[in-house]
Amino acid sequence: AKMSFAIKSARLLTSAVNRNAARLVTQNRGYADEMAFTLAAANKVFYDAASVRQVDVPSFSGSFGILPKHVPTLAVLRPGVVSVYENDGNVKKVFVSSGTVTVNEDASVQVLAEEAHPIENLDASACREILSSAQSQLSSASTDTDRAEAQIAVEVAEALVKAAE
């Protein structure tokens, strides 16, 4: 009986220490209820450390949502739509061709895209033409490099068509 009491006491103490350590780690990581969000591309800066509620991003490891207090993350963007849930309730959608998303320990988030355009600016017919052209380029590619570049163009064009619909 003495041994089981000692074991239970040790487990309770360990549990209390672990909870306290987890709280200290959380405090030290700078978690907040807001996140400073930056979305930039070579053609435009869409957000510059703006306070937003949520961001949904397409990545090669799967699409995921980012809320304040998100664990620090680094991911590669795949072609698709970034959805930004602003504090006033509006949702802005921006097509990105590729790039990176970084969630920092201070709750700031950066999406850096090769190219980005608001989806309302996309012309569905023009996007379908881009896809058709990319598919033709892929079918006529003669070298491995040409095939790889054309395959990337097809993937981006397919995502463009989907975003424009």
Side-chain angles (χ1 to χ4, degrees):
K2 285 184 180 180
M3 183 59 91
S4 67
F5 175 77
I7 291 172
K8 286 180 187 176
S9 296
R11 285 185 185 150
L12 287 173
L13 178 60
T14 301
S15 176
V17 168
N18 288 341
R19 277 196 306 263
N20 191 43
R23 188 172 63 247
L24 290 174
V25 167
T26 301
Q27 290 170 350
N28 290 339
R29 288 176 85 166
Y31 284 140
D33 292 329
E34 294 183 346
M35 61 182 170
F37 176 65
T38 299
L39 170 56
N43 57 311
K44 183 176 179 182
V45 175
F46 293 87
Y47 293 88
D48 185 6
S51 178
V52 300
R53 290 192 333 205
Q54 178 179 338
V55 180
D56 294 343
V57 296
S59 81
F60 280 104
S61 57
S63 295
F64 63 98
I66 303 166
L67 294 165
K69 303 180 184 180
H70 195 284
V71 65
T73 303
L74 177 63
V76 177
L77 294 174
R78 71 169 163 71
V81 176
V82 172
S83 299
V84 181
Y85 297 81
E86 298 177 338
N87 288 338
D88 63 6
N90 287 326
V91 179
K92 300 282 196 234
K93 296 186 178 213
V94 179
F95 177 83
V96 295
S97 62
S98 62
T100 61
V101 57
T102 307
V103 180
N104 300 298
E105 288 189 9
D106 67 358
S108 64
V109 178
Q110 290 85 35
V111 172
L112 304 176
E114 289 292 321
E115 193 170 350
H117 299 280
I119 62 166
E120 63 268 15
N121 293 355
L122 299 178
D123 178 288
S125 175
C127 292
R128 286 190 294 275
E129 288 176 23
I130 291 169
L131 176 58
S132 178
S133 173
Q135 289 169 330
S136 295
Q137 184 183 3
L138 178 59
S139 64
S140 67
S142 57
T143 68
D144 287 345
T145 302
D146 289 345
R147 270 190 293 283
E149 289 174 354
Q151 183 60 46
I152 291 168
V154 167
E155 289 170 10
V156 171
E158 287 172 344
L160 261 173
V161 168
K162 184 176 177 185
E165 292 176 342

